[in-house]
């Protein structure tokens, strides 16, 4: 059984921090780039951050300087540390394994159909 199991999420006040984790099972985690999507306004599934097998990272402009992605290949887990959270960060976050397919102008539910490995998502709520 191959899947991604997310944890973390919940509620926090603006300016606070939260850490998401995503653990893989049933496939060779080390062979995949990993990342997180979220549902953005305008029905776009935004690729928030990725980390390659070699540890090269990418961040969307909307989270640059606030979010940090990392991975622990020994634990088959990717982490997303989110700092200085804003109310507009309040959405569902989905962990996924690459390769990356852009999901502009479609929902994350639709986007998930393009991916072999896609987690069920965790809700992040940031109150002002």
């Amino acid at each position: 059984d191959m899947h991604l199991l997310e944890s973390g999420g919940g509620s926090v006040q603006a300016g606070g921090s939260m850490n998401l984790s995503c653990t893989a099972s049933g496939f060779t985690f080390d062979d995949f780039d990993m990342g997180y999507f979220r549902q953005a306004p305008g029905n776009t599934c935004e690729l928030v951050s990725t980390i390659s097998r070699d540890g090269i990272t990418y961040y969307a402009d909307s989270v640059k300087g606030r979010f940090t992605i990392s991975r622990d290949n020994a634990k088959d887990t990717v982490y997303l540390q989110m700092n200085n959270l804003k109310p507009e960060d309040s959405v569902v976050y989905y962990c996924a394994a690459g390769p990356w397919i852009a999901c502009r102008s479609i929902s994350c539910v639709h986007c998930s159909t393009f991916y072999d490995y896609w987690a069920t998502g965790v809700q992040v709520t940031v109150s002002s």
Side-chain angles (χ1 to χ4, degrees):
D1 185 25
M2 301 174 290
H3 66 272
L4 296 171
L5 180 63
E6 285 187 272
S7 61
S11 299
V12 67
Q13 288 192 324
S17 299
M18 190 176 289
N19 190 54
L20 305 182
S21 61
C22 174
T23 301
S25 63
F27 64 95
T28 306
F29 180 79
D30 299 16
D31 288 347
F32 289 84
D33 298 348
M34 299 297 298
Y36 283 86
F37 282 90
R38 69 182 182 182
Q39 189 66 55
N43 200 37
T44 288
C45 192
E46 180 184 26
L47 183 57
V48 175
S49 181
T50 66
I51 184 166
S52 73
R53 289 162 290 176
D54 302 331
I56 298 170
T57 58
Y58 158 83
Y59 298 97
D61 287 343
S62 57
V63 305
K64 202 171 291 183
R66 300 188 298 123
F67 290 12
T68 303
I69 194 168
S70 60
R71 64 189 295 160
D72 185 339
N73 288 343
K75 296 182 178 180
D76 292 345
T77 299
V78 59
Y79 304 95
L80 186 67
Q81 175 65 39
M82 305 183 293
N83 297 327
N84 191 21
L85 283 162
K86 303 176 181 180
E88 53 263 42
D89 296 319
S90 298
V91 284
V92 178
Y93 288 72
Y94 301 91
C95 171
W100 307 113
I101 301 169
C103 290
R104 287 181 284 272
S105 301
I106 63 172
S107 70
C108 284
V109 172
H110 186 179
C111 183
S112 69
T113 63
F114 302 143
Y115 285 81
D116 291 334
Y117 307 113
W118 185 278
T120 56
V122 291
Q123 175 72 48
V124 172
T125 302
V126 184
S127 59
S128 57

